[in-house]
Amino acid sequence: MRLKKIDIGGLETPNNVFLAPLAGYTNAVFREMCYNLGAGLTFTEMVSAKGLCYNSQNTRELLYITPTYGGIKAVQLFGSDPEYMRRAAASEEIAPFELIDINMGCPVPKIFGNGDGSALLQDFAKASALIKACKDSGKRVSVKFRIGLTADKLVAADFAKMCEDSGADMISVHGRTRDKIYAGEVNTEQIAAAKNAVKIPVIANGGIFTPADADQLIERTGADGVMLARGAMYSPWLFAEITSRPMPDKRALVKKQLEDTFRVYGERFAIVFMRKMAAFYTKGKPGSSALREKLFACDSMQSLEKMIDGIEF
């Protein structure tokens, strides 16, 4: 795919290959790693606007940024109350961030049931009010959304236009409906329809696991860039491949991720998190099932580091 900078309301990204916000995964260390591998933009895990307003410590911890992170600082907020979104966007905790992304695509039942995430696809007026509330902070605002709730209720073009008219500086479109969760084919026609409906940048999301997937998604949608989600979880070095950067020593990269995660979040978190990540990184390789069992048996930094030393990534 052709690499280019993306202008988000005056913020310029180094390229158009982004890391999606991923609940439980895009912590500060993982974001910095992906940025260093070539990601042009990374986002925090989704952060509850209401949680911020109620000073939730767990919520605030999601906002940590490593001192050495060199990219645009972008946070993803979720919520369905414009007043909470307005207060959160203008809060001291969000002050370090240059871009606010609003989650209008999460399909998880708990989020959907509260009227947040993809539930907003069925309430354009409320979605518009949320965008305007965040814009009141003076920050740039983007929106990540799905193409509809079900195949008979596709709204990508109309929703994209609403986002632009409400002040959004960029949109990211996941080319699946809410009921598909993360399965099934990506509907490239709907992403293309969203692209054709607006003048702001449109980022295509869904089904990118190889450089060829990124090429194909851009070709079929005309989008301005791509956003990696599960593909980045399984192979963060995919950013280097797509952006034509030198391929890193994968084992050294994973060991550094382990060490940095331990330094920032402590031993217990590092062990639990990096067992999952190492399992993702070896997914599909010969003997990966037995390897996962051994990984999840690791109960110390030393045992986990020893396991990583013996893995061919």
Side-chain angles (χ1 to χ4, degrees), residues 225-275:
V226 295
M227 182 175 280
L228 279 58
R230 286 177 299 151
M233 284 164 52
Y234 300 154
S235 306
W237 35 86
L238 183 55
F239 286 109
E241 293 183 84
I242 295 174
T243 59
S244 299
R245 294 198 175 197
M247 183 58 62
D249 180 319
K250 295 176 184 178
R251 183 183 293 108
L253 185 75
V254 177
K255 287 182 70 173
K256 185 177 187 307
Q257 185 187 9
L258 172 62
E259 292 161 6
D260 289 347
T261 304
F262 167 69
R263 176 175 48 80
V264 173
Y265 297 105
E267 183 173 20
R268 187 59 199 155
F269 179 92
I271 292 169
V272 173
F273 181 74
M274 288 304 299
R275 287 188 310 204

Side-chain angles (χ1 to χ4, degrees), residues 59-182:
T59 300
R60 292 160 68 105
E61 288 174 359
L62 298 175
L63 300 173
Y64 179 72
I65 305 165
T66 52
T68 49
Y69 179 73
I72 293 169
K73 300 175 181 70
V75 60
Q76 190 185 65
L77 293 180
F78 77 93
S80 51
D81 185 314
E83 185 54 31
Y84 281 125
M85 293 291 273
R86 181 178 290 107
R87 287 168 55 191
S91 68
E92 183 180 338
E93 290 79 11
I94 298 299
F97 293 91
E98 302 154 273
L99 172 66
I100 295 172
D101 185 70
I102 306 174
N103 184 316
M104 297 191 183
C106 181
V108 175
K110 181 180 178 182
I111 300 294
F112 183 85
N114 286 335
D116 305 329
S118 57
L120 293 162
L121 295 171
Q122 57 194 348
D123 193 336
F124 279 41
K126 181 175 282 187
S128 176
L130 297 175
I131 296 168
K132 292 173 181 176
C134 287
K135 286 290 287 187
D136 284 348
S137 69
K139 293 183 182 293
R140 285 82 166 185
V141 172
S142 61
V143 181
K144 187 171 188 292
F145 63 90
R146 287 178 175 247
I147 58 173
L149 296 183
T150 56
D152 60 338
K153 295 178 181 177
L154 299 176
V155 298
D158 291 338
F159 203 82
K161 191 72 175 85
M162 177 279 297
C163 289
E164 181 179 53
D165 291 344
S166 303
D169 299 292
M170 181 180 78
I171 57 173
S172 303
V173 187
H174 184 156
R176 295 185 179 94
T177 51
R178 185 254 168 178
D179 61 331
K180 295 297 184 184
I181 311 296
Y182 304 108

